[in-house]
Structure formats: structure tokens, C-alpha cells
Amino acid sequence: MENIATSASHLRSEDVNVWFGERHVLKNVSLNFPSNQVTALIGPSGCGKSTFLRTLNRMHELIPSAGFAGKVLLDGHDIYDHDVDPVDVRLNIGMVFQKPNPFPTMSIRENVLSGLKLTGRRGYNAAELVETSLRRASIWNEVKDRLNDPALSLSGGQQQRLCIARSLAMDPEVLLMDEPCSALDPGSTRRIEETITELSDSMTIVIVTHNMQQAQRVSHQTAFFLAEDGNPGRVVEFGKTDDVFNSPIDPRTNDYVNGHFG
Amino acid sequence: MSDIQDVTAEVPARRQLRTKPFSLADRLFYGITKSASSISVILVAAILLFLLSQSFATFQTQGFDFITGSQWNNAKGHEVFQIGPMLWGSVLISILGIIGGVPMAIAAAYFIEFMAPKPIAKVATVLVDLLAAMPSIVIGLWGLYVLTPVVAHWGSLLYGLHHVSMGPVNFDIPIFAMSDGSVPSTFSGSPFIAGWIVAVMIVPIITSVTREIFSQMDRDLINSALALGGSRSSVFMRVILPTASGGVTGGVLLGLGRALGETVAIFYVLNLVSDINWFNILQSKGGSVASLVLQKFGEGTPNEIKALMAAGLVLFVLTLLVNWLAAVIVNRAQPWRKI
Ligand SMILES: Nc1ncnc2c1ncn2[C@@H]1O[C@H](COP(=O)(O)OP(=O)(O)OP(=O)(O)O)[C@@H](O)[C@H]1O
Ligand SMILES: [Mg+2]
């Protein structure tokens, strides 16, 4: 029998390459994201972290000039297979964006349920789903008495946790986060880091971050991306977070994590 | 300096802050823009005053029936001037125009902003703007010589088909019926045709306002909806449209302001009849205040002309109200802009 709480999937990229028009921005990125692990993607600005993240749930192809080569395997199945509906991919692989962006016309409750509405789901217990999702995003206690307030009445940090709750309501197996704390204060950042740690019990998480301490606090493994002058970005180092930060193999990784460039 | 712990410390006197521009160039610029904006306010006020002075006599003799009644007679001694059917006609064809034009405009804006590749989007934008620059007499003639025959053709074809397959058309549906029980044949001169002309005329303005609103939307908002598994249509219906609705409504009202005052184009395609046509939209019988003015002004008697001025005033006030409402709605309903 499958236990919902531990049904996290295993994600893997094989030789992922990305182009925008003729410009080659990512080259042969092969990474393995085991279930229930948090993987941090780090690297200087413009090296292709966000782009890579978007290839993992097929958001990349929404950009008109986008090109792609390689494979992304979710539990062994290539999500880019021609008979796979990108919508199904995105249902399994949720995403949280850099800037908190709850739907402005909806209340807190409606935001949590927005994914179900958008996909035309029926037959769920709304009250229960709202509560569990908000609890998992550790924001329930702060909003339980004001679920019908507009989502924009929340603070930035609360809005971001609401956006996490919104993704969790769809019960994804993998959660992608692109610098989810970069617009937040230290307190909210800490809350979200705690949330990430709790969530990793039940899902696989990939997080892009510019914050080296954050990467060390939340992640099990780390990939260091680098795009050297004019060349496409690639993974320079990938391994256990401890190793990448404390005993990196590549000198460039050492320089980067110690703040010497980027 | 006072001690930072001392809450009772005196504050220094308030200083005069300079709110006007400082440099000569800035003052000049300020002056030019200020006088330009005053000129438009003065012009509007002057028009309003002129219309008021001209129409005073009419309101005195005709009373409130001027707006609600439906007679028009310029014979000396029997003068009655009432614009009820024209006023309602203006509203009716505006409603029809909105029903026809708004979906078209929103779809065009969506296509240009979210679907079309850049070069096509540019061409489409230019074409839509070109439509806005089209003289309304051209659109009127197009309505008369192109649209009307096409509608008549399809109308008789559909009625014929219906007759063959299901027997005579049952005109129990009020808006498709004729007030005299007859069977509609060509639809020419009907509010239906005029409504489509209005639709064509308001599509550009609604499209460009809507496109502007769409382009200001946070892309990540739309991307999050897609990332949640939304399809293009559900994202449009549940996220894009609700978020943009305030601005779009404003655009629609701006278009409506134009539709209400539309004169020449409507004059060509609508059969003006001084007998109110509530909702028989296929009947060759309608009204439009602006077209009434155009029709009667040339050879009007002095009192009739005053009545036409009064009609103009009513239209002017209506348009002003609609525009004001548009401004209020556009300004208020853009919550996503707050950040
Ligand atoms: N929509 C796009 N069209 C064209 N080029 C793009 C697009 N998005 C990103 N790029 C290019 O792809 C490269 C990688 O960008 P990406 O946003 O993935 O970097 P990043 O590592 O996330 O940077 P940051 O840390 O600043 O967020 C950059 O050189 C960028 O200019
Ligand atoms: Mg990025």
C-alpha cells in the first residue's frame, strides 16, 4: 500500500541543454534528486539556475524562443515524452516563485484552493484541505481566523507561505522553489526554512538560493552552477552539501562559497 | 540637538517646503502643461454653458417629457420636442455594441499580449489602432453597403433553412420579434446592425486599454497559475480576467462613451423612428440622439434647433457620467499595482 506521506518521487535530469533562440545557456546538466531530499542550486547570477528549475516542470517551454535537449525523468518516466501533457507534469511538480504572488482578487482560502479550481477538480473537502495545506506551510495559526480576508492583506512572508500552501494543496510529489526567501525579512526566511525541512519528510525539494547559509541549513545536497564568460552554464560541482561547502573538489566552488566572486 | 531620550523636547518650527519647480526650464514646462490642462477644462465648461443657455427654453416649454416622451413636431403652434425613443435607442445600440464588441476586443488583446509572436503582435496592434483612426463616415458607409447586405443575405438564408427544416419561425422570443407581428426580412435599418457598427467602433479602444492592462500584469502571477496545473482557458477565466476586470470595465466604459456620441456611422445604418423600440432589435426602427441631431439640424426651425441643443446637452451629460465612472473604476480596481 502506498503511504501518502512518503510517496515523494525521485527526479533526475539527464544531459539537459537549454537555448534561448540561438544562445546556448545550459549545457549537459545531469543531476539526481532522490526522494525526500532537499537539493540546493547555487551559483552566480545569470548562470541558468532559474532556467534549469523551469525545465523540471516544463514551465520553460512557455517562453517562445525556448529550446531544449535532454531528459527529465520523474520516477523513471521522461516528462518530455511526446505523449505527456505538461499540465499533468505541473500537477506532480509544484513551483514557488521568487516574489510572493498570491492571486490578488482571491481571499486567503480561495488562494489555497485556487489550483483545484484551475484544474476543475471536484469532490474534495475544502475546509479540511485548506487547513492541512496551511498547516503544512506553517501559516495556519496566523491566518485561521481570517481565511476570508484578501490574500494581499498578509505580510510578504505570510504571502510567500500562502503561495507554498497553494502549491501543497495540489499535493505535488516534487516542489521547486526559486529563491523563495529573497524578498523576505530574516524572521520570515527562518519560518520558511523550517517549513522546507518539515516538507522534505513528504516530498522532494529543489531550491535555488543565493544565500550560502540557507543552502547549508536546509539542503542535503548542493549543485554549483557556473557560466564562464560567454559559455553556457554547467554544473561544476555536485555532492553532499557538507562536502560542497567544506571540502569542495573544484577551486572555483571554493572561491564561490567563500564569497570570492559572484 | 536634543537628547534622544527626552520625549518632551521642543520640535523646531515647520519650514516652508518648495512644491513648485525650481529651475526656469521646469517652471516653463510646468506652465505649459498647466495651461494646456486648464484649456481643456475651460473648453468643456464653455460647451456646457453654451448648451445650457441654448436649451433652457426647451426644458421650460417641454418639461420632463422632453426626455421621456416620444413625439416630435416642428409645425408652428403645435411644437412638441421629445427625445425618449432616441435616448433609449442610443442606450440600446450601445448595449448591443458592447455585447458584440467586448468579447472581440478582449480576445484580440489576449491574442496580442499572450499568444502572438512578437512581429505578428506588432502588426495586429497597428491594425487595431488603425481601426480607431478610421473616419466614422467610412465605417457608416461600410455598414450600409457591405454589412447590411451580408446580414440580409444570412438572415433570409437562416430563416429559409429554419422554415424548411422546422416550419415557420416562432417569434415568441421577444428580441427577435417584430412589434407588428410581421416576419423580419432584411434587418436593414435595425438596431442590430447599428449595434454591430458600434461594436466595430469601440473594439479598438477597448482592445488597447485591455492590452495595456494585460501587459502590466505580473507574469509570475500567470506563471504560478500555469504551474498549479491550470490550462490556458482556466488561467484566463480565473486569474487574468478577474485581476484585470477593473481596468477592462474602465476600457469598456470609455468605449461606451464613444458609442453613445457616435453620429454619422449610425445615421447611415439606422432607420430613425420617433416611436420607441424597446427591444425588437431586428426591426427597421431605432433611435440615436446624436443621429437625430444630424438629421434635423440642417433644416430645423429656430425652436427645433434649440431642442436639438437640449438633446445634445442630455447626451453630453450622459457621456460625461460614463467617462467619469470609467475613470473611477480604472483608478480604483487595480489591486495588483499596489506593490
Ligand atoms: N526569457 C528569456 N529569454 C532570453 N534569455 C533568457 C531568458 N531567461 C533567461 N535568459 C538568459 O538565460 C541565462 C540564465 O538565466 P537565469 O534566469 O536562469 O539565471 P539565474 O541563474 O537564475 O540568475 P539569477 O541568480 O540572477 O536569478 C541568462 O543569461 C539570461 O540572460
Ligand atoms: Mg534566477
Side-chain angles (χ1 to χ4, degrees):
Chain A
M1 218 183 76
E2 212 178 32
N3 183 344
I4 303 285
T6 57
S7 73
S9 287
H10 158 246
L11 190 70
R12 172 184 185 87
S13 75
E14 282 180 10
D15 289 331
V16 163
N17 282 264
V18 166
W19 292 264
F20 287 111
E22 290 307 308
R23 208 156 74 84
H24 196 180
V25 303
L26 272 180
K27 187 168 174 188
N28 292 348
V29 179
S30 299
L31 294 175
N32 193 16
F33 308 99
S35 29
N36 302 99
Q37 297 270 301
V38 179
T39 305
L41 310 183
I42 60 169
S45 182
C47 65
K49 305 175 298 292
S50 301
T51 303
F52 175 68
L53 203 69
R54 284 200 303 268
T55 63
L56 297 180
N57 67 343
R58 295 189 59 172
M59 291 297 287
H60 172 60
E61 66 206 50
L62 294 171
I63 298 163
S65 65
F68 177 82
K71 281 183 184 171
V72 175
L73 304 169
L74 180 64
D75 289 332
H77 301 290
D78 187 359
I79 64 169
Y80 281 88
D81 254 358
H82 62 87
D83 57 354
V84 174
D85 182 350
V87 166
D88 290 336
V89 171
R90 294 176 201 141
L91 289 178
N92 285 319
I93 307 180
M95 189 165 209
V96 175
F97 293 72
Q98 179 168 359
K99 236 180 59 209
N101 54 5
F103 299 123
T105 56
M106 299 183 195
S107 67
I108 294 169
R109 176 204 308 276
E110 288 165 338
N111 259 283
V112 177
L113 298 173
S114 58
L116 294 114
K117 293 270 165 55
L118 279 163
T119 51
R121 297 272 183 87
R122 270 159 218 287
Y124 50 88
N125 181 338
E128 194 183 302
L129 189 63
V130 168
E131 179 169 348
T132 43
S133 306
L134 290 169
R135 275 191 194 284
R136 287 175 79 193
S138 0
I139 187 185
W140 170 251
N141 286 329
E142 288 154 75
V143 299
K144 63 181 178 213
D145 300 322
R146 46 190 287 210
L147 292 174
N148 292 319
D149 285 7
L152 288 188
S153 67
L154 296 172
S155 76
Q158 290 171 330
Q159 287 182 21
Q160 190 65 307
R161 276 177 284 147
L162 176 62
C163 290
I164 295 174
R166 177 172 77 181
S167 292
L168 296 180
M170 302 303 288
D171 200 20
E173 290 151 23
V174 180
L175 192 60
L176 311 175
M177 306 175 111
D178 193 350
E179 301 182 46
C181 304
S182 66
L184 306 180
D185 64 288
S188 304
T189 300
R190 191 177 42 79
R191 300 292 310 272
I192 290 186
E193 287 177 6
E194 286 164 11
T195 307
I196 292 171
T197 304
E198 282 163 27
L199 286 175
S200 67
D201 288 344
S202 57
M203 57 182 60
T204 308
I205 295 176
V206 185
I207 176 174
V208 173
T209 177
H210 278 284
N211 180 331
M212 296 303 119
Q213 284 77 37
Q214 179 169 71
Q216 293 180 73
R217 282 192 297 259
V218 300
S219 72
H220 303 100
Q221 49 174 14
T222 297
F224 172 51
F225 282 66
L226 189 59
E228 280 172 321
D229 34 57
N231 292 318
R234 40 191 315 168
V235 175
V236 170
E237 184 141 0
F238 178 47
K240 285 217 173 64
T241 298
D242 266 350
D243 298 342
V244 171
F245 281 91
N246 300 322
S247 49
I249 300 164
D250 195 295
R252 293 169 296 182
T253 315
N254 191 42
D255 287 351
Y256 182 74
V257 300
N258 291 307
H260 296 319
F261 75 92
Chain B
M1 280 239 292
S2 53
D3 182 351
I4 51 169
Q5 300 293 341
D6 182 6
V7 287
T8 59
E10 295 264 324
V11 290
R14 280 181 184 239
R15 298 179 62 180
Q16 182 71 42
L17 290 173
R18 189 181 179 89
T19 53
K20 294 266 167 62
F22 188 81
S23 75
L24 181 65
D26 274 0
R27 265 180 301 174
L28 205 65
F29 183 70
Y30 181 79
I32 291 171
T33 49
K34 191 176 166 187
S35 42
S37 69
S38 335
I39 285 174
S40 54
V41 171
I42 291 168
L43 269 179
V44 170
I47 293 173
L48 196 59
L49 273 179
F50 174 75
L51 286 176
L52 271 173
S53 70
Q54 292 292 308
S55 45
F56 190 68
T58 307
F59 285 124
Q60 232 173 10
T61 56
Q62 307 294 326
F64 198 64
D65 289 347
F66 177 71
I67 290 174
T68 54
S70 56
Q71 291 182 46
W72 192 276
N73 189 348
N74 64 1
K76 262 220 152 51
H78 306 278
E79 285 170 323
V80 192
F81 301 118
Q82 299 169 340
I83 60 165
M86 299 298 134
L87 200 55
W88 170 246
S90 281
V91 173
L92 179 66
I93 59 182
S94 300
I95 293 172
L96 291 173
I98 283 175
I99 292 172
V102 168
M104 229 184 330
I106 291 179
Y110 183 88
F111 174 76
I112 292 173
E113 200 55 45
F114 296 118
M115 284 173 72
K118 276 253 164 58
I120 295 182
K122 274 201 182 122
V123 172
T125 307
V126 170
L127 287 179
V128 170
D129 289 345
L130 210 62
L131 194 59
M134 191 83 76
S136 74
I137 190 160
V138 174
I139 295 182
L141 290 173
W142 172 81
L144 183 61
Y145 292 114
V146 181
L147 182 64
T148 301
V150 169
V151 170
H153 175 75
W154 280 95
S156 54
L157 195 70
L158 290 178
Y159 276 116
L161 273 181
H162 194 282
H163 200 98
V164 169
S165 57
M166 293 176 252
V169 180
N170 179 356
F171 281 103
D172 285 348
I173 307 167
I175 64 164
F176 298 133
M178 297 284 162
S179 56
D180 55 7
S182 67
V183 172
S185 51
T186 64
F187 310 154
S188 64
S190 65
F192 177 75
I193 301 254
W196 276 108
I197 294 299
V198 168
V200 169
M201 305 196 67
I202 63 176
V203 156
I205 183 155
I206 301 177
T207 305
S208 68
V209 172
T210 307
R211 186 168 51 80
E212 190 64 34
I213 305 270
F214 283 173
S215 75
Q216 283 169 0
M217 276 185 76
D218 184 357
R219 288 307 149 125
D220 273 351
L221 198 64
I222 297 166
N223 285 339
S224 335
L226 289 167
L228 284 168
S231 61
R232 274 193 187 275
S233 57
S234 69
V235 172
F236 176 70
M237 294 307 291
R238 292 188 180 274
V239 176
I240 298 179
L241 209 50
T243 310
S245 66
V248 174
T249 312
V252 170
L253 289 176
L254 274 178
L256 185 63
R258 177 166 189 205
L260 281 170
E262 193 36 58
T263 315
V264 182
I266 301 303
F267 180 70
Y268 274 99
V269 295
L270 190 63
N271 185 21
L272 293 179
V273 177
S274 195
D275 170 26
I276 204 153
N277 176 0
W278 285 108
F279 44 66
N280 306 129
I281 60 170
L282 299 180
Q283 194 159 3
S284 178
K285 172 179 151 186
S288 152
V289 177
S291 299
L292 173 82
V293 175
L294 183 67
Q295 187 190 43
K296 307 272 188 204
F297 202 81
E299 51 231 38
T301 63
N303 281 341
E304 194 175 19
I305 290 194
K306 289 204 168 127
L308 293 175
M309 294 282 186
L313 179 68
V314 171
L315 193 59
F316 186 83
V317 170
L318 195 63
T319 311
L320 224 54
L321 275 178
V322 167
N323 275 330
W324 169 77
L325 201 65
V328 169
I329 291 179
V330 172
N331 283 339
R332 222 185 28 193
Q334 305 192 349
W336 72 94
R337 267 199 185 175
K338 257 192 304 206
I339 308 152

